[in-house]
Amino acid sequence: MSQMRIPEEITNEEKVRIATTLGMNLRKEATTYSEALKLIPYNTIVKVLSRKNSGNGCNSEWLEIAYENNNTSIKGFICSDYVLSTEEPKEETPVT
């Protein structure tokens, strides 16, 4: 699998794709110890709002995102270790 690349600057339209087949927990805070608000399914595209420093269970940056589902929007944090930029071609082999 190629290395995942997240664009360095966030624009208002920045989006990333969830790359882990088991889905990804949307966290209340930027730490794996924080409450999981929602499980975001594999291959879902989410809007990036900001970036936080790495650490607290994430080797790369934490991304503050807006997850929209069924006409509701939930803000929270995901680890960028497990996402792909939507600007790249879709990977055939997901992260497991």
Side-chain angles (χ1 to χ4, degrees), residues 11-68:
T11 66
N12 289 338
E13 298 301 316
E14 167 103 40
K15 294 183 180 181
V16 294
R17 181 184 313 274
I18 304 301
T20 177
T21 56
L22 298 176
M24 177 178 283
N25 283 322
L26 177 64
R27 302 277 181 184
K28 186 174 183 177
E29 301 293 332
T31 173
T32 55
Y33 298 107
S34 179
E35 173 187 359
L37 302 172
K38 189 82 176 170
L39 181 66
I40 304 173
Y42 165 69
N43 221 23
T44 301
I45 296 174
V46 295
K47 182 178 179 181
V48 177
L49 304 174
S50 69
R51 296 173 185 266
K52 303 289 180 191
N53 291 334
S54 63
N56 298 318
C58 181
N59 294 323
S60 298
E61 295 175 305
W62 283 96
L63 302 177
E64 183 180 21
I65 60 120
Y67 172 59
E68 297 181 13

Side-chain angles (χ1 to χ4, degrees), residues 74-88:
I74 304 171
K75 290 183 184 178
F77 295 88
I78 59 173
C79 179
S80 63
D81 290 344
Y82 306 104
V83 300
L84 296 172
S85 171
T86 58
E87 295 174 6
E88 294 179 16

